[in-house]
């Protein structure tokens, strides 16, 4: 009797337009969670995600087996992190009557909540099959007073 292999979690990291999504199409039965709207050139099954709430709704549908994928591909993890941050900031503002604009402007406890939420949902996704996270290098030009 052959033992069933355990699902894998992989992160592919690189510069924008270097072919991460094209590489990810080679995984078995891929289903893309399209957060960055950059899959127009590929003929793949993809669910468009615009908000954290949409991500949660789609994750629930996936957990019910509605898509039959073997590999979930998050395109891109940095975009999903942005959605999680926005969700936590908006929830904080609603609950506290605050006007925090970004996670960087909030307290450490709010940042910690965003990290906890993000990690918990990725951990849950990893139980549904193979998980591939695509992430882009972010290049920033900074000038520290000429240094």
């Amino acid at each position: 009797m052959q033992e069933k292999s355990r699902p894998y979690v992989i992160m592919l990291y690189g510069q924008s337009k270097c072919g991460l999504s094209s590489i990810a199409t080679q995984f078995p039965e891929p289903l893309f969670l399209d957060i960055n709207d950059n899959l127009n050139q590929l003929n793949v099954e993809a669910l468009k995600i615009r908000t954290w709430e949409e991500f949660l709704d789609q994750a629930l549908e996936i957990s019910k087996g509605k898509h039959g994928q073997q590999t979930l591909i998050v395109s891109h993890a940095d975009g999903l992190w942005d959605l999680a941050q926005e969700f936590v900031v908006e929830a904080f503002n609603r609950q506290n009557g605050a006007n925090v604009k970004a996670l960087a402007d909030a307290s450490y406890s709010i940042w910690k909540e965003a990290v906890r939420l993000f990690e918990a949902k990725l951990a849950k996704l990893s139980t549904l099959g193979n998980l591939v996270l695509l992430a882009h290098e972010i290049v920033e030009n900074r000038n520290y007073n000429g240094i």
Side-chain angles (χ1 to χ4, degrees):
M1 177 187 275
Q2 186 177 9
E3 184 178 323
K4 185 178 177 184
S5 63
R6 294 177 45 186
Y8 49 79
V9 178
I10 297 173
M11 177 175 278
L12 299 177
Y13 173 83
Q15 295 176 347
S16 182
K17 305 294 182 196
C18 74
L20 296 176
S21 299
S22 296
I23 293 168
T25 65
Q26 303 305 305
F27 288 96
E29 298 178 45
L31 173 63
F32 282 77
L33 301 180
D34 183 12
I35 295 147
N36 290 16
D37 199 26
N38 63 343
L39 300 174
N40 298 334
Q41 303 299 323
L42 300 175
N43 184 20
V44 294
E45 184 178 359
L47 304 173
K48 296 224 184 267
I49 308 286
R50 299 291 168 256
T51 66
W52 185 257
E53 292 89 344
E54 284 181 16
F55 167 70
L56 296 177
D57 291 344
Q58 294 294 354
L60 180 61
E61 294 298 310
I62 291 165
S63 73
K64 293 177 180 178
K66 299 218 173 183
H67 294 282
Q69 78 293 330
Q70 283 187 23
T71 308
L72 285 173
I73 300 169
V74 177
S75 177
H76 287 86
D78 36 336
L80 185 59
W81 169 240
D82 291 343
L83 295 180
Q85 290 180 74
E86 291 168 10
F87 176 80
V88 169
V89 167
E90 289 170 9
F92 175 80
N93 286 341
R94 277 193 311 275
Q95 292 171 356
N96 298 289
N99 192 25
V100 173
K101 301 288 185 213
L103 196 60
D105 301 330
S107 69
Y108 173 73
S109 62
I110 305 305
W111 180 84
K112 188 175 170 184
E113 176 61 21
V115 170
R116 185 201 62 75
L117 178 70
F118 185 72
E119 287 178 342
K121 295 308 173 189
L122 286 181
K124 177 64 177 168
L125 279 183
S126 73
T127 68
L128 303 176
N130 304 319
L131 178 61
V132 177
L133 305 168
L134 306 182
H136 279 145
E137 174 184 36
I138 299 173
V139 178
E140 295 180 9
N141 293 323
R142 296 184 183 186
N143 183 352
Y144 296 102
N145 296 326
I147 300 175

